[in-house]
């Protein structure tokens, strides 16, 4: 069947990983929103593989969103959520993005199908300043995970902390982890970042259970739950 992406928007869904493409078997969709540069994919590719391994048997499918055209990234993310609903029906959707894709995931979270957001090193830039703060009302009712390296020289980690602090006031289901000594690409602790995101997605999509660090981060008042350190070796022990 032909793609339904309007040419003006230019987005399309890449090949899914995990559950097969039959609408009768898919029970959750993760849409992977890339960063601004295809030469710096961040942790999205290993995340897609890990999600397929961990959640495929439960009906989880992960699709990369291939951007194109001049439409804003958040508009293309909303189209991708529409396309997921068209293909698979009334299933929960997680928007998981890195860099500019992380910002698009946060901004497009108000889509009716979206139940959760994972923003990895979101490149908030000038819009994160007090004069023009990022909106957070669209995050209400969603589970939100933000992950940022403390040595990120491209995207100020304090900008994502300020956004998370504002979001937490309206949505208690918001947490943020800091990856100490890691940079924008989250390469030094990629395995831990991927394991954290998988734990969060499976909890929001299916079980409602999380590892102890995620549970603690969601329950803790600011700033504790928004500056949660990501421990070295996270994910090497079985999920609880």
């Amino acid at each position: 069947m032909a793609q339904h992406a309007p040419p003006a928007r230019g987005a399309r869904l890449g090949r899914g990983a995990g559950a097969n493409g039959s609408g009768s078997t898919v029970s959750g969709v993760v849409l992977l929103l890339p960063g601004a540069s295809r030469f710096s994919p961040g942790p999205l590719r290993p995340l897609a593989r890990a999600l397929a391994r961990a959640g495929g048997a439960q009906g989880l499918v992960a699709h990369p969103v291939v951007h194109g055209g001049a439409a804003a990234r958040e508009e293309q993310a909303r189209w991708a959520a529409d396309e997921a609903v068209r293909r698979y029906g009334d299933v929960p959707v997680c928007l998981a993005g890195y860099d500019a894709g992380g910002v698009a995931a946060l901004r497009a979270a108000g889509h009716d199908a979206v139940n959760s957001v994972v923003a990895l090193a979101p490149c908030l830039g000038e819009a994160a300043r007090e004069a023009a703060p990022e909106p957070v009302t669209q995050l209400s009712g969603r589970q939100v995970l933000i992950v940022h390296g403390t040595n990120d020289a491209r995207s100020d980690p304090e900008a994502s902390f300020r956004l998370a602090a504002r979001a937490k006031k309206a949505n208690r289901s918001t947490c943020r982890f800091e990856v100490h000594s890691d940079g924008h690409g989250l390469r030094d602790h990629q395995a831990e970042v991927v394991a954290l995101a998988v734990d969060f997605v499976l909890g929001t999509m299916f079980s409602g259970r999380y590892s102890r660090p995620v549970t603690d981060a969601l329950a803790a008042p600011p700033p504790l739950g928004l500056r949660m350190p990501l421990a070295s070796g996270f994910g090497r022990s079985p999920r609880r």
Side-chain angles (χ1 to χ4, degrees):
M1 183 178 294
Q3 287 279 357
H4 282 204
R9 296 187 179 181
R12 62 182 177 85
L13 296 191
R15 179 178 296 178
N20 66 43
S22 169
S24 63
T25 63
V26 172
S27 54
V29 179
V30 181
L31 299 174
L32 301 161
L33 309 174
S37 171
R38 63 186 179 90
F39 300 107
S40 179
L44 291 188
R45 290 174 183 168
L47 176 58
R49 293 192 292 268
L51 287 168
R53 289 193 301 269
Q58 300 178 69
L60 186 69
V61 63
H63 282 281
V65 178
V66 182
H67 290 286
R73 284 177 173 267
E74 59 265 32
E75 182 182 351
Q76 296 187 5
R78 292 186 190 99
W79 170 83
D82 283 340
E83 178 66 6
V85 172
R86 186 190 72 80
R87 291 190 186 189
Y88 303 117
D90 186 16
V91 298
V93 172
C94 173
L95 299 178
Y98 163 70
D99 183 75
V103 179
L106 291 164
R107 290 176 177 174
H111 190 285
D112 288 344
V114 173
N115 84 328
S116 54
V117 174
V118 176
L120 307 175
C123 206
L124 294 163
E126 297 295 320
R129 294 185 176 182
E130 292 300 320
E134 279 285 321
V136 296
T137 56
Q138 77 281 3
L139 298 173
S140 178
R142 278 67 179 165
Q143 303 289 110
V144 181
L145 168 67
I146 299 173
V147 183
H148 220 134
T150 58
N151 288 359
D152 192 333
R154 180 174 177 183
S155 174
D156 183 6
E158 287 304 302
S160 74
F161 170 76
R162 291 192 295 271
L163 181 144
R166 292 174 49 241
K168 187 77 171 181
K169 292 179 180 179
N171 178 15
R172 293 184 62 186
S173 299
T174 299
C175 63
R176 178 179 173 275
F177 279 74
E178 295 185 335
V179 190
H180 289 292
S181 78
D182 217 339
H184 186 65
L186 299 169
R187 295 185 184 91
D188 294 343
H189 300 284
Q190 184 180 90
E192 289 88 345
V193 171
V194 168
L196 175 68
V198 169
D199 182 277
F200 181 81
V201 170
L202 293 185
T204 59
M205 288 284 186
F206 304 121
S207 69
R209 301 190 306 273
Y210 305 96
S211 63
R212 181 63 180 271
V214 176
T215 299
D216 289 349
L218 288 169
L224 297 178
L226 306 180
R227 293 196 184 277
M228 187 68 69
L230 180 58
S232 179
F234 179 93
R236 294 178 188 172
S237 58
R239 295 177 77 246
R240 299 177 184 176

